[in-house]
Amino acid sequence: QVQLQESGPGLVKPSETLSLTCTVSGGSISIYYWSWIRQPPGKGLEWMGYFSYSGSPNYKPSLESRVTMSVDTSKNQVSLKLTSVTAADTAVYYCARLSRGIPDYWGQGTLVTVSS
Amino acid sequence: DIQLTQSPSTLSASVGDRVTITCRASQSISSWLAWYQQKPGKPPNLLIYQASSLESGVPSRFSGTGSGTEFTLTISGLQPDDFAAYYCLQYKTYLRTFGQGTKVEIK
């Protein structure tokens, strides 16, 4: 059974970099596409982008200048870096595996709060 | 960007009701649409893909129809476990987009 688990700091200061990892178990990380999706408290889902081990990533244009997503096959992890964060980046961040072009397996999500 | 508009935003219903949620796309997305259910504090769960294909393990009371710009998710015989938020997702373009969500609450 595929399992995904996000980890990282729950609190990040404004203007700093948000860094999250997602550890994948139960499946090969190199043959799938992966995505990061976020959800501000009490609000809807926002697609941030998707990426794979071998292909070029596709980021949401409004985030493209600040975001980096990558795959580390040696650790079976995918990662997210978001620079210059503001309070608007406060959200639950989900990693998800893509199959048939859509998320099928999701992590449980991790809340990141941007505050000084 | 392709915009998805769900209606209604909130829906009050009773156990046993037939419930329909609509998702309209700002341009044609063929059948590249999925539906997710999300319960509080949990990640979304895939219900329907390719507009009308039921994901494995999902109860048959869930069904999806539509193509082009208009899509519906129907729950035939609402169960207590179905009170949740529902989101549509288009995957016609590299930039996937979600609808704003529909909350199904107890009447």
Side-chain angles (χ1 to χ4, degrees), chain A residues 37 39 43-47 50 58 60-61 94 98 100-104 106-108, chain B residues 1 34 36 38 41-44 46 48-49 55 87 89 91 94-98 100:
Chain A
I37 295 156
Q39 185 170 36
K43 297 190 177 180
L45 300 161
E46 180 187 10
W47 184 273
Y50 71 86
N58 282 279
K60 183 175 183 178
Y94 295 102
L98 299 190
R100 299 157 293 179
I102 55 175
D104 60 350
W106 298 64
Q108 287 301 302
Chain B
D1 304 2
Y36 290 84
Q38 186 181 31
K42 299 293 186 183
L46 177 62
I48 302 282
Y49 63 95
E55 176 70 348
Y87 294 90
L89 167 70
Y91 52 113
Y94 291 119
L95 176 57
R96 312 309 201 224
T97 46
F98 289 96
Q100 83 278 15

Side-chain angles (χ1 to χ4, degrees), chain B residues 10 14 16 27 29 32 37-38 41 48-49 57 59-60 63-64 72 74-75 77 79 85 103:
Chain B
T10 306
S14 302
Q27 64 189 76
I29 57 172
W32 301 110
Q37 177 193 67
Q38 186 181 31
I48 302 282
Y49 63 95
S60 58
S63 62
T72 60
T74 299
I75 310 172
Q79 296 299 301
K103 184 178 180 182

Side-chain angles (χ1 to χ4, degrees), chain B residues 17-85:
Chain B
D17 284 353
R18 177 184 173 93
V19 164
T20 299
I21 299 168
T22 298
C23 178
R24 290 188 174 87
S26 59
Q27 64 189 76
S28 177
I29 57 172
S30 185
S31 296
W32 301 110
L33 188 98
W35 289 96
Y36 290 84
Q37 177 193 67
Q38 186 181 31
K39 297 180 181 177
K42 299 293 186 183
N45 181 50
L46 177 62
L47 301 174
I48 302 282
Y49 63 95
Q50 205 84 28
S52 60
S53 295
L54 192 67
E55 176 70 348
S56 176
V58 174
S60 58
R61 64 180 179 273
F62 291 93
S63 62
T65 62
S67 66
T69 62
E70 187 148 339
F71 302 85
T72 60
L73 172 71
T74 299
I75 310 172
S76 301
L78 199 64
Q79 296 299 301
D81 193 48
D82 301 337
F83 291 97

